[in-house]
Amino acid sequence: MNPNLESDLLRTFVAIAETKNFTRASEVVGRTQSAVSIQMKKLEEIVDGKLFDRGPRGVTLTSSGEQLVKDAKRILSLLDQAAASLQSDPLDGTVRIGIPEEYGGTFLPCVLSRFAKTHPQAEVTVRCAQSAALNTGLEKGELDLVVLHEEATKIGGEILLNNPVVWITSDTYRQHECLPMPVAVYDSGCWWRDWALACLEQQKKDYKITYISSSTFGLQAAVSSGIAVGILAQSQIPADCRELTPEEGFPRLQGTNIVLRQRIQHECSTKAGMAQAIRDAFQPSRAQSA
């Protein structure tokens, strides 16, 4: 007899896999931590296998868990799409969106796929670029909706996610122990670069800039390959790297928000529908910043 994989169990399971923490997952699904634990015990009984390993850095998936999470995400995506198509009328029209390049291969395909299946008549164009360029495109009327990185102290858009900015180093190469310490930074004019250098000066660290990039991908590659340490949003830390802690002499930097901006709020139903799709895509990530 095939196991009955209830959608509520799968949704909680995916929340734990994404947040790597039972407490944060409980906030995502709106249940108590004890209820989440009971759900996962039931799910493990259904699949007759262990799905999680618990360690000092949080919860990780076992091989069985890794196999299940792929199917679970696909199942939940189909259920959500079916619910959306039943609850809303198809939209048509044009919407132009802009998004930072680091989200182009992760969150963006999910948003576009769901929106296209629910609203196949809508025409969507996308621009991937740095936040400053996207903001300029919005102000010039070239874009309708943009997702941007913004300093947490500023108020200029709808906050989708608060993302701490942290120092990171490679697990293998440990460049933070070198003197002078090699540092990877963004191009001149980026406020993240200003934060990084000001922090190093304040901590009186002996450093040298060995890598400059205009993209997040470039900084991720520099740190992963052992060229330098760098700063990134906490959600963008590569799998083979880790966050450096205040105890190691690397305090967290000023926070950054991921915000949604629109030229005219709800100018048409198509743009409003895309704005909601973007909000929904970031919703599971909110618990990670708690």
Side-chain angles (χ1 to χ4, degrees), residues 251-279:
R252 282 190 177 181
L253 302 169
Q254 182 178 342
T256 183
N257 288 329
I258 301 174
V259 302
L260 172 65
R261 286 185 181 169
Q262 306 179 53
R263 287 190 62 225
I264 300 176
Q265 190 76 9
H266 304 319
E267 180 181 350
C268 72
S269 57
T270 304
K271 295 178 180 61
M274 176 58 76
Q276 188 58 49
I278 291 172
R279 293 186 193 101

Side-chain angles (χ1 to χ4, degrees), residues 149-176:
H149 288 289
E150 188 173 78
E151 295 179 64
T153 55
K154 293 184 177 180
I155 302 175
E158 176 185 344
I159 298 176
L160 299 171
L161 178 68
N162 178 265
N163 220 352
V165 177
V166 298
W167 288 97
I168 65 168
T169 188
S170 165
D171 284 328
T172 302
Y173 299 102
R174 304 176 64 85
Q175 290 286 27
H176 62 287

